Structures are given as structure tokens and as C-alpha cells.
Amino acid sequence: MADRTNGEITIEADQAKIMDVIADLPAYPDWSDGVEAVEVLEATPEGRPDRARFTFASGPIKDTYVLKYSWHGNDSVDWTLESGGVIKQQDGTYTLVANPDGSVTVTYDLTVELSIPMIGMIRKKAEKMIVKTALQGLKDRVDSL
């Protein structure tokens, strides 16, 4: 059974700029730990990724998997796993909420289940690290643009 892990970060940018970085999946290897390559397989009429194939390697976990995306303007994006090997479930959401000071709070929710056994405490710690590094990577990428 997979558990949901989440985290949040505040970024000094508008929602559109942040969502543009999130939607630029082929650039993920530049800022997202473990992501080696991303190929957009299908795009929405608005040009955002609809389906994408990821090549991932971090520690003992190496996989190629396909995610299906659902975009909700610049407010949020959800994804779910269509196919994978080691990763047998992945559901995630980035939610962006504008703050009165012009910054945006980004919340990242992630559920991952692997086909290989992993002690619950170690898995939970790894999930928290994935969320934390993803949010910091997103912030650093937005700040650099």
C-alpha cells in the first residue's frame, strides 16, 4: 500500500512562470534529481504535455515509465502512472496558490509504490527526500530564469 507524501515551498514568481517550468518536461534532467531523460509522447491542444516517457535512475531504483497528465490552467497539474517497471504506482499533483505579496505557494503531493520490497520507514524517508528536492529544484529553476 502506497502512502501519500507532500511538501510545500514559496516561490517569488507568478503562477504562469512556475507552471511553464513544470510543463517543460524535457528540461527536467537539468533540475530534477534522478531524471535522466524525458520524451513528450503526446501534447494537449494548448501545447502542454499529455503523456510523457521518463528515464529515471537514483540509487537502486532505475526505471522507464510513462505518465499521463491533467492540467488545470496555472492552478494545478495532476499525473498518474500509465506504465512502468520498478515503479508500479505514481500519482502526483503540483498545486499553485497565489499569495497576497505576489509570491506563490507550491504544494507537491506524491504517491509512489515500487515493485521491489522496501522497509516502510526507509521508503517514507526516500519519498520525503524526493518531494523536498523536487520543490527546491523547481524553485531554483524558476529563480534562474
Side-chain angles (χ1 to χ4, degrees):
M1 177 117 178
D3 293 320
R4 195 157 192 82
T5 302
N6 64 32
E8 67 178 38
I9 197 164
T10 300
I11 301 176
E12 301 292 331
D14 64 33
Q15 286 176 260
K17 181 177 181 181
I18 297 167
M19 195 58 82
D20 285 348
V21 170
I22 293 169
D24 186 8
L25 300 183
Y28 276 37
D30 296 338
W31 63 268
S32 186
D33 286 348
V35 178
E36 295 183 336
V38 181
E39 177 188 1
V40 175
L41 303 173
E42 295 175 18
T44 67
E46 297 78 29
R48 287 186 168 163
D50 186 49
R51 293 177 63 244
R53 179 180 299 116
F54 286 72
T55 303
F56 180 85
S58 181
I61 301 173
K62 296 173 181 22
D63 204 359
T64 298
Y65 55 90
V66 175
L67 298 179
K68 170 77 172 145
Y69 286 83
S70 179
W71 300 89
H72 311 282
N74 290 323
D75 295 325
S76 67
V77 58
D78 307 314
W79 61 90
T80 190
L81 183 74
E82 276 194 350
S83 64
V86 174
I87 299 171
K88 69 179 192 177
Q89 178 188 358
Q90 185 183 135
D91 298 304
T93 304
Y94 276 114
T95 304
L96 285 61
V97 177
N99 298 313
D101 66 0
S103 66
V104 173
T105 299
V106 179
T107 303
Y108 181 22
D109 291 295
L110 181 66
T111 302
V112 176
E113 189 171 352
L114 304 176
S115 62
I116 58 175
M118 188 177 276
I119 297 171
M121 184 176 69
I122 294 171
R123 181 178 47 84
K124 190 69 173 169
K125 186 175 182 178
E127 288 171 356
K128 286 183 179 188
M129 184 57 74
I130 290 167
V131 168
K132 181 180 178 182
T133 57
L135 286 169
Q136 189 61 54
L138 174 62
K139 181 183 185 321
D140 293 346
R141 179 69 173 185
V142 170
D143 290 347
S144 74
L145 297 177

